[in-house]
Amino acid sequence: MKLRFTLRAAATLFTLAGLAGPVAAGGTAGDYPTRPITLLVGFPAGGPSDTAARILANRLESELPGARVVVENRGGANGTLAAAALTKAPADGHTLFLVTKSHVNTKWLYRHLPFDPATDFQPVALLLTMPNVLVVGPSIHAPDYQAFAADARQHPDDYTVFSTGNGSDPHLAAEEFQEKTGLKFRHIPYKGGAQGMVDMLSGRVDLSFATLGTVMQYLADDRSKVRALALGGAQRDPLLPDVPTFAEVGVSGFEPMAWYGVMAPVGTPRPILEKLNRAINHGMNQPEGVALLNKMGASPAHASIEEFAGLYQNDIKTNGALITHLGVTLD
């Protein structure tokens, strides 16, 4: 699946600018890992991040002989507790962090972080991608995007859009969409996607720009009355082949995509990073890994260390510009 900022361009940016912390050249990956790997997750068990982490743990144990991967959920503060724990871990590859795209926003949302998202994390591998989807509940009767947009234009601020919190990717997607289209919604932040979907089903809120992982189970259930009108990405998602992209419905330059990746402490030896990158890329793209990701509404990615690092740094920059423009802060 294509990301708006191509991975090749991302790798070039990373290489030219030297973006990210130093990577230790020494060390060997021949006997790695020598003890259990801890995979930190910044959100509670049961959510999309936790599901992805457990899929990754299973795949790494298959790819690395003798490996044991322990998923450790450290939920709270938009994932910053788990992120902070990674920066204090030994740089030996035995502590990893499942990072979501929303992590890049923390640099701009919080004024007092114990780390710098731009320099205190070593990218390892891009794990998966999934589009943000414009979904509407039973309170909206428009049969397609064009009818929805026409009605929303006639009734500015009548529709409510929920997100998974101020400054979250669904929130930023909703704000960017409104700027590009001139449509106006009332934003209602939730602490997570599950409660927001419950309220959408009951008619308390009208729409969302949630990730496909959040809404997949509802779209697959004809009884839920949740419908997808358009989605992010440069092309249609194979999991929703009948749903047009935003470009197809006339919203050009709007391709909101979520991603998950893996980070290690800065200073982790390059051979270990490369071993992990190969294992993740191969394992997640095997039929079993693909099937598990598709079930959660995601597609496997395949990127080098430099490609992922460039993408990460580019999203810090672009999301930062939008957050600064919106004036959103969380402390």
Side-chain angles (χ1 to χ4, degrees):
M1 181 179 296
K2 290 184 178 179
L3 297 174
R4 183 193 306 176
F5 187 67
T6 66
L7 292 176
R8 181 174 296 179
T12 301
L13 172 64
F14 173 81
T15 302
L16 292 177
L19 299 169
V23 178
T28 176
D31 56 353
Y32 170 82
T34 58
R35 63 179 187 276
I37 298 171
T38 298
L39 179 58
L40 298 169
V41 182
F43 300 94
S49 298
D50 178 68
T51 300
R54 294 180 192 282
I55 294 172
L56 173 60
N58 174 270
R59 295 288 81 210
L60 280 176
E61 289 178 347
S62 297
E63 294 291 322
L64 301 174
R68 178 170 174 255
V69 182
V70 179
V71 176
E72 183 175 317
N73 299 89
R74 293 200 184 187
N78 286 334
T80 59
L81 298 182
L86 181 80
T87 64
K88 300 174 183 177
D92 59 8
H94 290 90
T95 304
L96 305 174
F97 173 44
L98 183 89
V99 64
T100 69
K101 184 182 177 183
S102 62
H103 175 69
V104 307
N105 302 339
T106 61
K107 181 175 178 65
W108 312 102
L109 293 173
Y110 296 94
R111 291 170 293 181
H112 306 290
L113 284 175
F115 55 80
D116 185 343
T119 59
D120 291 345
F121 299 85
Q122 171 58 55
V124 177
L126 183 61
L127 185 63
L128 62 86
T129 62
M130 67 176 80
N132 289 79
V133 186
L134 169 55
V135 290
V136 298
S139 61
I140 293 180
H141 303 293
D144 55 28
Y145 173 83
Q146 300 301 342
F148 160 78
D151 189 61
R153 199 172 302 280
Q154 293 179 2
H155 303 91
D157 291 320
D158 278 8
Y159 288 155
T160 52
V161 57
F162 92 79
S163 77
T164 49
N166 286 317
S168 65
D169 281 327
H171 177 206
L172 297 186
E175 295 294 342
E176 185 179 1
F177 174 84
Q178 291 175 87
E179 290 211 343
K180 288 185 174 295
T181 62
L183 302 179
K184 297 297 181 183
F185 311 128
R186 287 182 289 121
H187 175 230
I188 300 180
Y190 282 75
K191 293 183 178 180
Q195 186 58 50
M197 291 305 299
V198 169
D199 282 358
M200 179 184 287
L201 287 169
S202 67
R204 293 189 183 93
V205 292
D206 301 310
L207 64 122
S208 183
F209 290 82
T211 64
L212 182 53
T214 298
V215 302
M216 188 69 178
Q217 61 176 314
Y218 302 96
L219 295 175
D221 185 352
D222 293 335
R223 299 169 298 175
S224 74
K225 298 182 180 180
V226 171
R227 292 171 293 120
L229 301 184
L231 52 74
Q235 57 194 17
R236 294 194 181 198
D237 193 286
L239 300 178
L240 295 176
D242 296 328
V243 178
T245 65
F246 285 105
E248 288 181 275
V249 299
V251 187
S252 60
F254 182 60
E255 301 175 4
M257 294 286 294
W259 52 256
Y260 292 0
V262 179
M263 294 288 188
V266 170
T268 300
R270 178 75 188 197
I272 291 178
L273 296 175
E274 291 176 342
K275 188 171 185 177
L276 281 166
N277 181 270
R278 288 192 300 268
I280 293 169
N281 282 335
H282 185 265
M284 300 305 294
N285 282 275
Q286 294 303 298
E288 182 179 350
V290 173
L292 290 170
L293 289 181
N294 286 172
K295 188 176 180 180
M296 64 172 286
S299 299
H302 193 292
S304 69
I305 296 169
E306 288 73 24
E307 287 171 337
F308 177 38
L311 172 68
Y312 176 70
Q313 293 291 342
N314 181 75
D315 282 348
I316 288 178
K317 179 180 178 180
T318 55
N319 281 23
L322 181 57
I323 291 170
T324 301
H325 172 68
L326 296 172
V328 179
T329 59
L330 297 181
D331 66 0

